[in-house]
Amino acid sequence: MKLLSPLLILIAVFLAGCSEPPRFVSTDISSVDWGKDFKLTDHNGQARQLADFRGKAVVMFFGYTQCPDVCPTTLSILRDAMQVLGEDAKRVQVLFVTVDPARDTAPLLAQYVPSFYPSFLGLYADEEGTRALAKEFKVFYAKNPGSTPDNYSVDHSTGSFAFDPQGKLRLLLRHGETPANVAADLKLLLAEKS
């Protein structure tokens, strides 16, 4: 019995030293086998892929510039999260991928996207490339006819995707999440060792 007491003490000390790793607020999708990369053009005309942002946490959101509510709300939340991050915001890249390439030209994206935060980038492809990318990321979008052919809306998925600094898709950020929670999740991604 004398041997058991020191052993129990050792186990108790070991367990006390083990703390549970911090948990994400957002949905952890680390195990998915999709959303691995993209080939798009940014609003400055530069070809972009995920590897261009290695070393940064990346948040990717699919939307369109004429969206009345979800897109500006999401970009505002991401802007506020960048402010919460402070210096760590330099290690985060937000990417806005248009699902409306017919209307969202490079000049329009260049005007719209950085108006929320200077480092945010608008990305686009042609119609076929947009469809293929949406399929790769399991993103839904569909045009709804308007009063004229150019006056339509686009229904689309509302979540954002977060990649770790090594370029692995890790989180699905819910629409309407608080900036503090988004910033906390991004800090956890930035703090992880590769």
Side-chain angles (χ1 to χ4, degrees):
M1 199 61 174
K2 288 182 182 181
L3 234 177
L4 191 56
S5 294
L7 181 59
L8 289 175
I9 292 170
L10 184 60
I11 290 171
V13 168
F14 176 75
L15 290 176
C18 292
S19 60
E20 211 168 294
R23 294 220 164 130
F24 294 110
V25 175
S26 300
T27 305
D28 188 335
I29 57 171
S30 300
S31 63
V32 301
D33 192 31
W34 45 265
K36 295 179 181 175
D37 204 356
F38 56 83
K39 288 188 174 146
L40 297 164
T41 304
D42 74 19
H43 63 244
N44 298 309
Q46 184 175 345
R48 294 293 193 162
Q49 59 186 355
L50 193 55
D52 295 338
F53 308 105
R54 191 67 38 105
K56 292 184 172 189
V58 173
V59 178
M60 178 187 279
F61 175 70
F62 288 78
Y64 69 114
T65 62
Q66 295 183 45
C67 178
D69 45 23
V70 171
C71 300
T73 300
T74 298
L75 288 169
S76 295
I77 288 168
L78 292 171
R79 174 201 61 217
D80 294 348
M82 296 293 269
Q83 292 166 349
V84 170
L85 284 167
E87 281 299 305
D88 281 336
K90 294 176 183 170
R91 298 175 52 218
V92 174
Q93 181 62 61
V94 172
L95 305 174
F96 176 86
V97 180
T98 183
V99 293
D100 186 14
R103 292 185 299 187
D104 287 347
T105 61
L108 181 55
L109 288 168
Q111 178 186 10
Y112 180 79
V113 179
S115 71
F116 289 91
Y117 195 82
S119 68
F120 289 7
L121 285 173
L123 300 175
Y124 64 93
D126 60 17
E127 294 282 350
E128 183 180 329
T130 302
R131 270 193 303 279
L133 187 67
K135 184 177 179 183
E136 170 65 16
F137 279 85
K138 314 295 185 213
V139 168
F140 164 81
Y141 72 100
K143 279 185 185 179
N144 289 316
S147 56
T148 67
D150 290 336
N151 182 22
Y152 55 86
S153 63
V154 182
D155 290 336
H156 60 89
S157 301
T158 61
S160 300
F161 300 101
F163 297 81
D164 65 24
Q166 292 74 43
K168 177 158 177 43
L169 180 56
R170 298 291 304 283
L171 301 173
L172 176 63
L173 310 175
R174 289 175 292 280
H175 171 66
E177 190 58 76
T178 68
N181 285 342
V182 171
D185 280 350
L186 293 174
K187 276 186 179 278
L188 287 176
L189 288 179
L190 291 170
E192 289 180 348
K193 303 293 183 230
S194 57

